[in-house]
């Protein structure tokens, strides 16, 4: 049974999600629809990329991912279907795919299939679903449009490294208000080399240990861990780190290692 996933910023208040699911089922009743998230921050492709990047590899080969965030097409931002890592991704080439993948996609097709309506505000329902159903029925993606050589690049802030110092930032705040940074365990170990360290956040907050789990500290205490995606995360055990610490996305974080 083909799998089609949906990621969007529609929420659950309006008809958008139901319309897309109805369109899929009407065209191909033998398909499994999986909701990744419909609570992406509006128009925020960075948020959408983070969510998809951290879960798509857990899906079976052949899964089709529809991305319904900031989908309007323009001369600069084309609608595309991508085949990469044995999965398919359908969305708008506005930089989002360069944030999902660390390498160049294997196959990129610019969609030139017609829409089902004369309105251009709901591309996910009127165009992306058609592409997804085409793939779900086992047809070649080359029939959907013209090949492209590369995707648009969007440069994300990467940690700056100096001797005994990593300068990073908060890139995501999850549903528990945990602070996810762009500092990976690999980089931390490479720069730190087992030295003692201090993690510094705004307001003079300082952390000098990394634990294995949230429960390693008492309830209400601050804890630093490497999350399942390998990134350094600052949390409060059973608390809301972002709100209580006054730290938001793009705020700086420093890791200083002893000489």
């Amino acid at each position: 049974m083909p799998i089609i996933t949906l990621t969007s910023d529609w929420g659950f208040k309006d008809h958008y999600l139901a319309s897309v699911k109805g369109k899929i089922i009407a065209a191909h009743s033998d398909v499994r629809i999986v909701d990744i998230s419909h609570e992406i921050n509006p128009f925020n492709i960075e948020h959408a990329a983070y969510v998809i990047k951290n879960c798509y590899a857990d899906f079976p080969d052949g899964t089709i991912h529809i991305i319904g965030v900031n989908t309007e097409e323009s001369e600069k931002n084309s609608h595309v279907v991508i085949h990469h890592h044995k999965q398919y991704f359908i969305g708008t080439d506005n930089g989002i795919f360069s944030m999902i993948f660390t390498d160049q996609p294997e196959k990129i097709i610019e969609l030139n299939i017609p829409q089902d309506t004369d309105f251009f505000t709901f591309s996910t329902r009127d165009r992306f679903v058609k592409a997804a159903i085409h793939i779900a029925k086992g047809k070649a993606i080359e029939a959907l449009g013209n090949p492209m050589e590369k995707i648009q690049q969007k440069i994300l802030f990467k940690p700056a490294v100096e001797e005994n110092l990593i300068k990073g930032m908060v890139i995501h705040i999850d549903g528990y208000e945990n602070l996810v940074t762009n500092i990976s365990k690999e980089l931390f170990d490479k720069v730190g080399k087992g030295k003692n360290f201090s993690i510094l956040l705004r307001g003079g907050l300082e952390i000098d240990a990394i634990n294995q789990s949230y429960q390693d500290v008492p309830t209400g205490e601050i804890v630093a861990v490497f999350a399942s995606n390998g990134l350094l995360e600052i949390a409060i055990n059973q608390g809301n780190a972002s709100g209580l610490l006054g730290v938001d996305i793009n705020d700086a974080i420093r890791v200083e290692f002893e000489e």
Side-chain angles (χ1 to χ4, degrees):
M1 179 182 292
I3 298 174
I4 297 177
T5 79
L6 299 174
T7 303
S8 78
D9 55 2
W10 305 325
F12 298 93
K13 180 180 179 180
D14 298 302
H15 66 281
Y16 307 117
L17 177 58
S19 292
V20 169
K21 288 187 174 182
K23 198 78 170 178
I24 293 172
I25 295 169
H28 194 331
S29 59
D30 189 24
V31 65
R32 180 183 301 174
I33 302 173
V34 177
D35 297 299
I36 291 181
S37 176
H38 300 293
E39 296 183 350
I40 301 299
N41 297 329
F43 313 109
N44 192 322
I45 60 173
E46 291 85 358
H47 184 194
Y50 176 87
V51 170
I52 296 167
K53 178 175 183 170
N54 282 286
C55 71
Y56 82 81
D58 295 320
F59 283 87
D61 293 351
T63 296
I64 304 159
H65 303 279
I66 294 178
I67 306 172
V69 180
N70 213 3
T71 60
E72 287 198 14
E73 186 179 31
S74 66
E75 291 185 5
K76 181 180 178 182
N77 301 330
S78 303
H79 288 162
V80 298
V81 56
I82 290 174
H83 184 229
H84 199 43
H85 298 310
K86 300 182 180 180
Q87 300 191 35
Y88 299 90
F89 302 81
I90 303 169
T92 306
D93 183 29
N94 49 21
I96 188 170
F97 295 108
S98 68
M99 295 185 285
I100 295 174
F101 309 124
T102 57
D103 52 351
Q104 185 67 20
E106 299 157 20
K107 191 176 293 185
I108 311 164
I109 301 294
E110 181 179 4
L111 293 177
N112 63 10
I113 56 176
Q115 292 200 158
D116 286 338
T117 73
D118 294 328
F119 304 102
F120 296 92
T121 61
F122 202 177
S123 301
T124 305
R125 182 195 65 187
D126 298 333
R127 204 176 200 196
F128 295 173
V129 167
K130 289 184 69 175
I133 295 303
H134 175 95
I135 297 168
K137 290 183 176 179
K139 299 178 181 179
I141 64 172
E142 286 80 2
L144 294 171
N146 304 313
M148 294 172 56
E149 292 185 0
K150 58 184 180 179
I151 54 176
Q152 284 200 55
Q153 298 295 312
K154 184 174 177 63
I155 299 174
L156 292 174
F157 179 85
K158 294 184 179 180
V161 177
E162 302 174 12
E163 187 176 3
N164 296 317
L165 175 65
I166 302 174
K167 298 178 181 178
M169 64 186 292
V170 176
I171 61 169
H172 181 69
I173 297 173
D174 69 12
Y176 297 98
E177 294 194 19
N178 298 331
L179 309 172
V180 182
T181 79
N182 61 347
I183 300 174
S184 67
K185 186 178 189 304
E186 180 181 9
L187 179 63
F188 186 96
D189 291 342
K190 180 179 179 181
V191 177
K193 300 176 182 177
K195 300 174 185 176
N196 293 330
F197 60 88
S198 293
I199 301 171
L200 306 173
L201 292 170
R202 65 182 300 178
L205 177 65
E206 183 173 340
I207 307 168
D208 60 6
I210 294 179
N211 290 284
Q212 296 295 313
S213 71
Y214 308 111
Q215 297 292 336
D216 286 344
V217 301
T219 300
E221 292 292 319
I222 300 170
V223 60
V225 298
F226 284 110
S228 58
N229 58 8
L231 297 177
L232 179 63
E233 182 177 300
I234 309 300
I236 292 179
N237 184 14
Q238 299 185 36
N240 309 112
S242 177
L244 293 173
L245 302 178
V247 179
D248 209 339
I249 291 176
N250 296 330
D251 280 353
I253 180 170
R254 294 166 58 94
V255 183
E256 298 180 356
F257 297 95
E258 290 185 1
E259 297 183 4

